[in-house]
Amino acid sequence: MNKSSSVVLVGIQWGDEGKAKIIDLLAEQANIICRFQGGNNAGHTIIVQGEKTVLHLIPSGILHENTVNLIGNGVVVDLEVLLYEKKSLEARGIEVSPRRLKISELAHLIFPYHRLLDLGRERLKSRIGTTGRGIGPTYGDKVMRLGVRIGELRDPDRVQMRWRPVYEEKLRLLKELGETQVPSFEEIFSKSLEYFSEIEAHLVDSSSFLNESMDQGQRVLFEGAQGSLLDIEYGTYPFVTSSNTTAGFAACGTGVGPRRLGFILGLTKAYTTRVGSGPFPTECSDEAAGKWMASKGHEFGSTTGRARRCGWLDLVALKRAVEINSLDGLALSKLDVLSGLDEVKLGVAYKMSAQKLKSFPSFDLENVEVEYESMKSWSKLDGVKSEAELPIEAKNFITRIEDYLKVPIVMISTGPDRNEAIVRKDLWKD
Ligand code: IMP
């Protein structure tokens, strides 16, 4: 096996950490960028010279013309969304050919009944606050062995035999949820084949493709979606997404072995946000500081437009994320949003029933009481590009996070634009 470099980037909060910008910076030196989990519940927003692009499914590396982009087997794919994104990018002159965009033939498909089930369950039962994109029902079908993988559409007669009874079952479930406007099987089937004909040339065996590329020394960036606290195993269950959002899944979700994962980079905002329901110990949405974060940080979801809940940085939760991802380094985003506040706070310990907890609890997170450390804030650092320009108070904040988590902060984002960042380490060096 040749030596090759790879970087895994994962969000380590409840998503929306600003991954697209870091991916954009890292993609400059990468050859291949891969998504390995989630689907179009993600929304990666990139701003280049003031122009905003939001991608939900296609890896954001596509904006770098020398890269190849891969949608791995661990991703769930809505073909309608995929084609819409592909066409929108092409209309802007970005090449999305089979050479530049590859899709694992094993990725599972999202169908209209998955979206309807997601919305119907939200309305009547779970109220998790999902994005309504059909993510949970599609992963559910995958695990129950009722899913359809993209590559199966190569043989319509064969897939139809297995798929039709699955559809009949969904129809019964949807009736129970009061949904009567369900497209017929024939409609879903023929539309899927039509979409498939437009993307068939993009399909690959992602394991062979990635392993061979890495053997040849290609640099691979694994692009995580959502965040560690939304992980199906270790997140705040049931208020989580339906995939493994942690670094280990970069291997499973693309078809390489875990030893091929190189530098593991965890991204956190300088504060915390959450969309959807679920416990959030350091939330201060109703206080002046929370309102400040929401408005200065433009905290509205890029997929659903929902207002994000805001709170202080939670080091106890991040410690858990460090452990479950085995992080080598941290990237800190949106540090500029906190400038101008009188004080900044860090959640440093949890108590439950007056007892200090040793670690992030698996249950009853809504009942913890948070202990904070307060630090002096800084007046301004928007757009700062060098370490030397960082105010001392911001440096103290950064050092406290590093000391607590025992992981170095290797990148700091100080504004929305591509070049508003301090890069302390070149992650592509072996
Ligand atoms: P689902 O992934 O649509 O099933 O939603 C499950 C939970 O994950 C909800 O609380 C969503 O708000 C949250 N979620 C899913 N994707 C994202 C994301 O990209 N950013 C932030 N939250 C997300």
Side-chain angles (χ1 to χ4, degrees), residues 63-104:
L63 300 184
H64 284 264
E65 57 185 22
N66 295 325
T67 59
V68 171
N69 293 267
L70 172 73
I71 295 178
N73 51 276
V75 177
V76 285
V77 176
D78 188 323
L79 289 176
E80 201 176 327
V81 173
L82 178 70
L83 285 171
Y84 175 80
E85 255 177 31
K86 176 172 146 69
K87 285 178 184 159
S88 313
L89 287 166
E90 284 168 344
R92 288 180 42 199
I94 296 162
E95 184 193 333
V96 194
S97 61
R99 181 186 72 82
R100 294 213 60 219
L101 177 68
K102 306 201 182 283
I103 305 163
S104 166

mmCIF file of all heavy atoms in Angstrom, residues 63-104:
data_model
loop_
_atom_site.group_PDB
_atom_site.id
_atom_site.type_symbol
_atom_site.label_atom_id
_atom_site.label_comp_id
_atom_site.label_asym_id
_atom_site.label_seq_id
_atom_site.Cartn_x
_atom_site.Cartn_y
_atom_site.Cartn_z
ATOM 1 N N LEU A 63 -16.958 22.517 -6.313
ATOM 2 C CA LEU A 63 -16.658 23.891 -6.734
ATOM 3 C C LEU A 63 -15.181 24.084 -7.064
ATOM 4 O O LEU A 63 -14.803 25.083 -7.649
ATOM 5 C CB LEU A 63 -17.098 24.890 -5.655
ATOM 6 C CG LEU A 63 -18.587 24.888 -5.317
ATOM 7 C CD1 LEU A 63 -18.920 25.969 -4.320
ATOM 8 C CD2 LEU A 63 -19.453 25.080 -6.554
ATOM 9 N N HIS A 64 -14.347 23.111 -6.682
ATOM 10 C CA HIS A 64 -12.924 23.179 -7.042
ATOM 11 C C HIS A 64 -12.718 22.350 -8.294
ATOM 12 O O HIS A 64 -12.857 21.122 -8.261
ATOM 13 C CB HIS A 64 -12.048 22.625 -5.907
ATOM 14 C CG HIS A 64 -11.937 23.586 -4.786
ATOM 15 N ND1 HIS A 64 -10.892 24.452 -4.666
ATOM 16 C CD2 HIS A 64 -12.767 23.839 -3.760
ATOM 17 C CE1 HIS A 64 -11.083 25.207 -3.596
ATOM 18 N NE2 HIS A 64 -12.215 24.842 -3.032
ATOM 19 N N GLU A 65 -12.345 22.999 -9.373
ATOM 20 C CA GLU A 65 -12.433 22.311 -10.667
ATOM 21 C C GLU A 65 -11.503 21.117 -10.832
ATOM 22 O O GLU A 65 -11.767 20.246 -11.646
ATOM 23 C CB GLU A 65 -12.275 23.291 -11.828
ATOM 24 C CG GLU A 65 -11.003 24.094 -11.813
ATOM 25 C CD GLU A 65 -10.986 25.130 -12.938
ATOM 26 O OE1 GLU A 65 -12.081 25.487 -13.430
ATOM 27 O OE2 GLU A 65 -9.894 25.552 -13.303
ATOM 28 N N ASN A 66 -10.450 21.033 -10.033
ATOM 29 C CA ASN A 66 -9.535 19.897 -10.220
ATOM 30 C C ASN A 66 -9.902 18.677 -9.389
ATOM 31 O O ASN A 66 -9.150 17.713 -9.347
ATOM 32 C CB ASN A 66 -8.104 20.318 -9.885
ATOM 33 C CG ASN A 66 -7.628 21.361 -10.869
ATOM 34 O OD1 ASN A 66 -8.000 21.305 -12.048
ATOM 35 N ND2 ASN A 66 -6.877 22.338 -10.404
ATOM 36 N N THR A 67 -11.025 18.722 -8.710
ATOM 37 C CA THR A 67 -11.357 17.602 -7.827
ATOM 38 C C THR A 67 -12.339 16.613 -8.470
ATOM 39 O O THR A 67 -13.114 16.980 -9.348
ATOM 40 C CB THR A 67 -12.028 18.098 -6.530
ATOM 41 O OG1 THR A 67 -13.210 18.822 -6.903
ATOM 42 C CG2 THR A 67 -11.102 18.985 -5.722
ATOM 43 N N VAL A 68 -12.263 15.365 -7.947
ATOM 44 C CA VAL A 68 -13.279 14.357 -8.267
ATOM 45 C C VAL A 68 -14.114 14.218 -7.003
ATOM 46 O O VAL A 68 -13.573 14.249 -5.890
ATOM 47 C CB VAL A 68 -12.603 13.018 -8.621
ATOM 48 C CG1 VAL A 68 -13.629 11.900 -8.731
ATOM 49 C CG2 VAL A 68 -11.818 13.152 -9.920
ATOM 50 N N ASN A 69 -15.415 14.096 -7.135
ATOM 51 C CA ASN A 69 -16.297 14.060 -5.966
ATOM 52 C C ASN A 69 -17.092 12.762 -5.950
ATOM 53 O O ASN A 69 -17.579 12.325 -6.988
ATOM 54 C CB ASN A 69 -17.229 15.269 -6.003
ATOM 55 C CG ASN A 69 -16.432 16.549 -5.808
ATOM 56 O OD1 ASN A 69 -16.292 17.022 -4.709
ATOM 57 N ND2 ASN A 69 -15.855 17.060 -6.880
ATOM 58 N N LEU A 70 -17.198 12.193 -4.750
ATOM 59 C CA LEU A 70 -17.836 10.880 -4.639
ATOM 60 C C LEU A 70 -18.973 10.918 -3.616
ATOM 61 O O LEU A 70 -18.794 11.410 -2.496
ATOM 62 C CB LEU A 70 -16.784 9.852 -4.188
ATOM 63 C CG LEU A 70 -17.304 8.465 -3.829
ATOM 64 C CD1 LEU A 70 -17.716 7.687 -5.086
ATOM 65 C CD2 LEU A 70 -16.255 7.661 -3.068
ATOM 66 N N ILE A 71 -20.115 10.379 -4.023
ATOM 67 C CA ILE A 71 -21.209 10.149 -3.073
ATOM 68 C C ILE A 71 -21.088 8.679 -2.674
ATOM 69 O O ILE A 71 -21.277 7.786 -3.500
ATOM 70 C CB ILE A 71 -22.570 10.469 -3.721
ATOM 71 C CG1 ILE A 71 -22.649 11.974 -4.041
ATOM 72 C CG2 ILE A 71 -23.716 10.038 -2.812
ATOM 73 C CD1 ILE A 71 -23.924 12.418 -4.730
ATOM 74 N N GLY A 72 -20.713 8.444 -1.426
ATOM 75 C CA GLY A 72 -20.387 7.086 -0.984
ATOM 76 C C GLY A 72 -21.621 6.227 -0.736
ATOM 77 O O GLY A 72 -22.760 6.709 -0.709
ATOM 78 N N ASN A 73 -21.377 4.937 -0.506
ATOM 79 C CA ASN A 73 -22.464 3.982 -0.275
ATOM 80 C C ASN A 73 -23.264 4.281 0.989
ATOM 81 O O ASN A 73 -24.410 3.879 1.120
ATOM 82 C CB ASN A 73 -21.895 2.562 -0.186
ATOM 83 C CG ASN A 73 -20.745 2.453 0.790
ATOM 84 O OD1 ASN A 73 -19.604 2.748 0.443
ATOM 85 N ND2 ASN A 73 -21.034 2.054 2.022
ATOM 86 N N GLY A 74 -22.672 5.006 1.948
ATOM 87 C CA GLY A 74 -23.375 5.302 3.200
ATOM 88 C C GLY A 74 -24.360 6.453 3.087
ATOM 89 O O GLY A 74 -25.093 6.747 4.037
ATOM 90 N N VAL A 75 -24.385 7.094 1.934
ATOM 91 C CA VAL A 75 -25.289 8.245 1.730
ATOM 92 C C VAL A 75 -26.638 7.733 1.221
ATOM 93 O O VAL A 75 -26.697 6.715 0.537
ATOM 94 C CB VAL A 75 -24.662 9.214 0.682
ATOM 95 C CG1 VAL A 75 -25.581 10.380 0.361
ATOM 96 C CG2 VAL A 75 -23.309 9.718 1.172
ATOM 97 N N VAL A 76 -27.716 8.416 1.561
ATOM 98 C CA VAL A 76 -29.019 8.084 0.968
ATOM 99 C C VAL A 76 -29.342 9.163 -0.069
ATOM 100 O O VAL A 76 -29.191 10.353 0.197
ATOM 101 C CB VAL A 76 -30.139 7.944 2.029
ATOM 102 C CG1 VAL A 76 -30.003 6.636 2.776
ATOM 103 C CG2 VAL A 76 -30.159 9.106 3.013
ATOM 104 N N VAL A 77 -29.761 8.694 -1.248
ATOM 105 C CA VAL A 77 -29.821 9.602 -2.405
ATOM 106 C C VAL A 77 -31.250 9.778 -2.917
ATOM 107 O O VAL A 77 -31.937 8.803 -3.226
ATOM 108 C CB VAL A 77 -28.933 9.042 -3.545
ATOM 109 C CG1 VAL A 77 -29.060 9.905 -4.802
ATOM 110 C CG2 VAL A 77 -27.471 8.962 -3.098
ATOM 111 N N ASP A 78 -31.664 11.022 -3.012
ATOM 112 C CA ASP A 78 -32.926 11.362 -3.657
ATOM 113 C C ASP A 78 -32.568 11.790 -5.077
ATOM 114 O O ASP A 78 -31.957 12.844 -5.284
ATOM 115 C CB ASP A 78 -33.588 12.516 -2.873
ATOM 116 C CG ASP A 78 -34.991 12.805 -3.355
ATOM 117 O OD1 ASP A 78 -35.221 12.710 -4.576
ATOM 118 O OD2 ASP A 78 -35.847 13.146 -2.517
ATOM 119 N N LEU A 79 -32.924 10.960 -6.052
ATOM 120 C CA LEU A 79 -32.483 11.214 -7.434
ATOM 121 C C LEU A 79 -32.988 12.547 -7.980
ATOM 122 O O LEU A 79 -32.302 13.215 -8.754
ATOM 123 C CB LEU A 79 -32.937 10.077 -8.358
ATOM 124 C CG LEU A 79 -32.217 8.735 -8.162
ATOM 125 C CD1 LEU A 79 -32.827 7.664 -9.070
ATOM 126 C CD2 LEU A 79 -30.720 8.858 -8.448
ATOM 127 N N GLU A 80 -34.183 12.925 -7.547
ATOM 128 C CA GLU A 80 -34.741 14.189 -8.031
ATOM 129 C C GLU A 80 -33.860 15.357 -7.564
ATOM 130 O O GLU A 80 -33.537 16.258 -8.329
ATOM 131 C CB GLU A 80 -36.159 14.325 -7.457
ATOM 132 C CG GLU A 80 -37.022 15.272 -8.223
ATOM 133 C CD GLU A 80 -38.445 15.282 -7.663
ATOM 134 O OE1 GLU A 80 -38.918 14.214 -7.181
ATOM 135 O OE2 GLU A 80 -39.071 16.345 -7.705
ATOM 136 N N VAL A 81 -33.459 15.302 -6.295
ATOM 137 C CA VAL A 81 -32.617 16.358 -5.729
ATOM 138 C C VAL A 81 -31.234 16.342 -6.386
ATOM 139 O O VAL A 81 -30.664 17.382 -6.722
ATOM 140 C CB VAL A 81 -32.486 16.166 -4.196
ATOM 141 C CG1 VAL A 81 -31.488 17.142 -3.597
ATOM 142 C CG2 VAL A 81 -33.844 16.298 -3.533
ATOM 143 N N LEU A 82 -30.718 15.143 -6.600
ATOM 144 C CA LEU A 82 -29.393 15.006 -7.216
ATOM 145 C C LEU A 82 -29.383 15.664 -8.607
ATOM 146 O O LEU A 82 -28.480 16.445 -8.933
ATOM 147 C CB LEU A 82 -29.045 13.519 -7.335
ATOM 148 C CG LEU A 82 -27.725 13.202 -8.002
ATOM 149 C CD1 LEU A 82 -26.571 13.614 -7.095
ATOM 150 C CD2 LEU A 82 -27.613 11.722 -8.308
ATOM 151 N N LEU A 83 -30.419 15.366 -9.395
ATOM 152 C CA LEU A 83 -30.449 15.930 -10.752
ATOM 153 C C LEU A 83 -30.655 17.435 -10.726
ATOM 154 O O LEU A 83 -30.070 18.171 -11.520
ATOM 155 C CB LEU A 83 -31.554 15.258 -11.573
ATOM 156 C CG LEU A 83 -31.183 13.850 -12.024
ATOM 157 C CD1 LEU A 83 -32.367 13.139 -12.639
ATOM 158 C CD2 LEU A 83 -30.026 13.900 -13.030
ATOM 159 N N TYR A 84 -31.455 17.888 -9.787
ATOM 160 C CA TYR A 84 -31.681 19.341 -9.665
ATOM 161 C C TYR A 84 -30.363 20.043 -9.344
ATOM 162 O O TYR A 84 -29.997 21.037 -9.962
ATOM 163 C CB TYR A 84 -32.735 19.602 -8.573
ATOM 164 C CG TYR A 84 -32.920 21.073 -8.308
ATOM 165 C CD1 TYR A 84 -33.704 21.851 -9.165
ATOM 166 C CD2 TYR A 84 -32.297 21.693 -7.220
ATOM 167 C CE1 TYR A 84 -33.852 23.216 -8.940
ATOM 168 C CE2 TYR A 84 -32.433 23.044 -6.999
ATOM 169 C CZ TYR A 84 -33.220 23.798 -7.856
ATOM 170 O OH TYR A 84 -33.349 25.152 -7.635
ATOM 171 N N GLU A 85 -29.621 19.479 -8.382
ATOM 172 C CA GLU A 85 -28.337 20.085 -8.003
ATOM 173 C C GLU A 85 -27.351 20.050 -9.152
ATOM 174 O O GLU A 85 -26.646 21.013 -9.418
ATOM 175 C CB GLU A 85 -27.742 19.343 -6.795
ATOM 176 C CG GLU A 85 -27.904 20.145 -5.555
ATOM 177 C CD GLU A 85 -27.426 19.486 -4.276
ATOM 178 O OE1 GLU A 85 -26.472 18.684 -4.290
ATOM 179 O OE2 GLU A 85 -28.027 19.797 -3.241
ATOM 180 N N LYS A 86 -27.300 18.929 -9.827
ATOM 181 C CA LYS A 86 -26.377 18.766 -10.959
ATOM 182 C C LYS A 86 -26.688 19.822 -12.026
ATOM 183 O O LYS A 86 -25.799 20.526 -12.492
ATOM 184 C CB LYS A 86 -26.541 17.341 -11.511
ATOM 185 C CG LYS A 86 -25.730 17.009 -12.749
ATOM 186 C CD LYS A 86 -25.853 15.503 -13.028
ATOM 187 C CE LYS A 86 -25.859 15.128 -14.490
ATOM 188 N NZ LYS A 86 -24.653 15.292 -15.230
ATOM 189 N N LYS A 87 -27.976 19.962 -12.340
ATOM 190 C CA LYS A 87 -28.344 20.916 -13.397
ATOM 191 C C LYS A 87 -28.097 22.361 -12.971
ATOM 192 O O LYS A 87 -27.674 23.195 -13.763
ATOM 193 C CB LYS A 87 -29.800 20.693 -13.818
ATOM 194 C CG LYS A 87 -29.893 19.433 -14.668
ATOM 195 C CD LYS A 87 -31.283 19.067 -15.102
ATOM 196 C CE LYS A 87 -31.219 17.731 -15.853
ATOM 197 N NZ LYS A 87 -32.471 17.026 -15.900
ATOM 198 N N SER A 88 -28.362 22.654 -11.680
ATOM 199 C CA SER A 88 -28.132 24.037 -11.207
ATOM 200 C C SER A 88 -26.648 24.372 -11.291
ATOM 201 O O SER A 88 -26.275 25.480 -11.671
ATOM 202 C CB SER A 88 -28.563 24.237 -9.759
ATOM 203 O OG SER A 88 -29.802 23.701 -9.546
ATOM 204 N N LEU A 89 -25.789 23.419 -10.926
ATOM 205 C CA LEU A 89 -24.350 23.674 -10.996
ATOM 206 C C LEU A 89 -23.919 23.841 -12.450
ATOM 207 O O LEU A 89 -23.158 24.758 -12.792
ATOM 208 C CB LEU A 89 -23.570 22.525 -10.340
ATOM 209 C CG LEU A 89 -23.625 22.457 -8.815
ATOM 210 C CD1 LEU A 89 -23.108 21.120 -8.306
ATOM 211 C CD2 LEU A 89 -22.813 23.597 -8.179
ATOM 212 N N GLU A 90 -24.439 22.976 -13.318
ATOM 213 C CA GLU A 90 -24.056 23.056 -14.734
ATOM 214 C C GLU A 90 -24.491 24.383 -15.346
ATOM 215 O O GLU A 90 -23.771 24.958 -16.156
ATOM 216 C CB GLU A 90 -24.637 21.869 -15.512
ATOM 217 C CG GLU A 90 -23.839 20.598 -15.236
ATOM 218 C CD GLU A 90 -24.488 19.308 -15.727
ATOM 219 O OE1 GLU A 90 -25.708 19.311 -16.019
ATOM 220 O OE2 GLU A 90 -23.783 18.292 -15.784
ATOM 221 N N ALA A 91 -25.663 24.860 -14.898
ATOM 222 C CA ALA A 91 -26.149 26.146 -15.433
ATOM 223 C C ALA A 91 -25.193 27.286 -15.057
ATOM 224 O O ALA A 91 -25.174 28.323 -15.707
ATOM 225 C CB ALA A 91 -27.546 26.423 -14.892
ATOM 226 N N ARG A 92 -24.418 27.071 -13.987
ATOM 227 C CA ARG A 92 -23.438 28.091 -13.585
ATOM 228 C C ARG A 92 -22.052 27.811 -14.160
ATOM 229 O O ARG A 92 -21.060 28.388 -13.751
ATOM 230 C CB ARG A 92 -23.371 28.152 -12.055
ATOM 231 C CG ARG A 92 -24.614 28.786 -11.465
ATOM 232 C CD ARG A 92 -24.545 28.853 -9.986
ATOM 233 N NE ARG A 92 -23.231 29.264 -9.534
ATOM 234 C CZ ARG A 92 -22.768 29.069 -8.310
ATOM 235 N NH1 ARG A 92 -23.515 28.470 -7.426
ATOM 236 N NH2 ARG A 92 -21.582 29.480 -7.965
ATOM 237 N N GLY A 93 -21.997 26.882 -15.100
ATOM 238 C CA GLY A 93 -20.737 26.612 -15.788
ATOM 239 C C GLY A 93 -19.823 25.644 -15.046
ATOM 240 O O GLY A 93 -18.647 25.520 -15.390
ATOM 241 N N ILE A 94 -20.341 24.965 -14.019
ATOM 242 C CA ILE A 94 -19.503 24.012 -13.269
ATOM 243 C C ILE A 94 -19.686 22.616 -13.877
ATOM 244 O O ILE A 94 -20.826 22.157 -14.049
ATOM 245 C CB ILE A 94 -19.869 24.031 -11.763
ATOM 246 C CG1 ILE A 94 -19.548 25.426 -11.212
ATOM 247 C CG2 ILE A 94 -19.139 22.950 -10.980
ATOM 248 C CD1 ILE A 94 -20.200 25.760 -9.916
ATOM 249 N N GLU A 95 -18.578 21.964 -14.184
ATOM 250 C CA GLU A 95 -18.658 20.641 -14.811
ATOM 251 C C GLU A 95 -19.087 19.582 -13.775
ATOM 252 O O GLU A 95 -18.460 19.455 -12.730
ATOM 253 C CB GLU A 95 -17.274 20.273 -15.386
ATOM 254 C CG GLU A 95 -17.278 18.956 -16.141
ATOM 255 C CD GLU A 95 -15.867 18.435 -16.436
ATOM 256 O OE1 GLU A 95 -14.919 19.250 -16.545
ATOM 257 O OE2 GLU A 95 -15.726 17.203 -16.540
ATOM 258 N N VAL A 96 -20.176 18.872 -14.076
ATOM 259 C CA VAL A 96 -20.628 17.787 -13.184
ATOM 260 C C VAL A 96 -20.733 16.501 -14.021
ATOM 261 O O VAL A 96 -21.756 15.825 -14.030
ATOM 262 C CB VAL A 96 -21.967 18.128 -12.490
ATOM 263 C CG1 VAL A 96 -22.232 17.168 -11.317
ATOM 264 C CG2 VAL A 96 -21.991 19.551 -11.964
ATOM 265 N N SER A 97 -19.684 16.214 -14.729
ATOM 266 C CA SER A 97 -19.656 15.045 -15.628
ATOM 267 C C SER A 97 -19.355 13.778 -14.808
ATOM 268 O O SER A 97 -18.942 13.874 -13.650
ATOM 269 C CB SER A 97 -18.535 15.243 -16.640
ATOM 270 O OG SER A 97 -17.318 15.329 -15.905
ATOM 271 N N PRO A 98 -19.503 12.589 -15.419
ATOM 272 C CA PRO A 98 -19.130 11.355 -14.711
ATOM 273 C C PRO A 98 -17.659 11.348 -14.279
ATOM 274 O O PRO A 98 -17.297 10.689 -13.315
ATOM 275 C CB PRO A 98 -19.406 10.262 -15.740
ATOM 276 C CG PRO A 98 -20.458 10.846 -16.618
ATOM 277 C CD PRO A 98 -20.163 12.306 -16.712
ATOM 278 N N ARG A 99 -16.822 12.104 -14.953
ATOM 279 C CA ARG A 99 -15.411 12.198 -14.539
ATOM 280 C C ARG A 99 -15.309 12.915 -13.197
ATOM 281 O O ARG A 99 -14.494 12.562 -12.351
ATOM 282 C CB ARG A 99 -14.629 12.989 -15.610
ATOM 283 C CG ARG A 99 -13.146 13.138 -15.329
ATOM 284 C CD ARG A 99 -12.475 14.055 -16.349
ATOM 285 N NE ARG A 99 -12.834 15.462 -16.167
ATOM 286 C CZ ARG A 99 -12.264 16.289 -15.289
ATOM 287 N NH1 ARG A 99 -11.320 15.848 -14.496
ATOM 288 N NH2 ARG A 99 -12.659 17.557 -15.200
ATOM 289 N N ARG A 100 -16.173 13.913 -12.963
ATOM 290 C CA ARG A 100 -16.072 14.747 -11.764
ATOM 291 C C ARG A 100 -16.985 14.310 -10.631
ATOM 292 O O ARG A 100 -16.750 14.642 -9.474
ATOM 293 C CB ARG A 100 -16.395 16.211 -12.127
ATOM 294 C CG ARG A 100 -15.381 16.834 -13.056
ATOM 295 C CD ARG A 100 -15.243 18.287 -12.748
ATOM 296 N NE ARG A 100 -14.814 18.508 -11.389
ATOM 297 C CZ ARG A 100 -15.262 19.481 -10.616
ATOM 298 N NH1 ARG A 100 -16.166 20.323 -11.048
ATOM 299 N NH2 ARG A 100 -14.807 19.623 -9.386
ATOM 300 N N LEU A 101 -18.090 13.655 -10.955
ATOM 301 C CA LEU A 101 -19.007 13.215 -9.893
ATOM 302 C C LEU A 101 -19.235 11.720 -10.020
ATOM 303 O O LEU A 101 -19.733 11.243 -11.047
ATOM 304 C CB LEU A 101 -20.353 13.947 -9.975
ATOM 305 C CG LEU A 101 -21.371 13.462 -8.939
ATOM 306 C CD1 LEU A 101 -20.945 13.829 -7.511
ATOM 307 C CD2 LEU A 101 -22.758 14.031 -9.216
ATOM 308 N N LYS A 102 -18.858 10.997 -8.984
ATOM 309 C CA LYS A 102 -19.061 9.549 -8.981
ATOM 310 C C LYS A 102 -20.022 9.195 -7.843
ATOM 311 O O LYS A 102 -20.006 9.851 -6.799
ATOM 312 C CB LYS A 102 -17.719 8.840 -8.795
ATOM 313 C CG LYS A 102 -16.718 9.315 -9.864
ATOM 314 C CD LYS A 102 -15.589 8.370 -10.090
ATOM 315 C CE LYS A 102 -14.606 8.906 -11.119
ATOM 316 N NZ LYS A 102 -15.072 8.785 -12.514
ATOM 317 N N ILE A 103 -20.831 8.185 -8.104
ATOM 318 C CA ILE A 103 -21.842 7.805 -7.104
ATOM 319 C C ILE A 103 -21.732 6.307 -6.859
ATOM 320 O O ILE A 103 -21.704 5.523 -7.817
ATOM 321 C CB ILE A 103 -23.266 8.143 -7.627
ATOM 322 C CG1 ILE A 103 -23.356 9.627 -8.019
ATOM 323 C CG2 ILE A 103 -24.332 7.785 -6.594
ATOM 324 C CD1 ILE A 103 -24.542 9.961 -8.892
ATOM 325 N N SER A 104 -21.678 5.924 -5.599
ATOM 326 C CA SER A 104 -21.593 4.498 -5.297
ATOM 327 C C SER A 104 -22.849 3.783 -5.776
ATOM 328 O O SER A 104 -23.975 4.221 -5.486
ATOM 329 C CB SER A 104 -21.443 4.282 -3.791
ATOM 330 O OG SER A 104 -21.691 2.923 -3.510
#
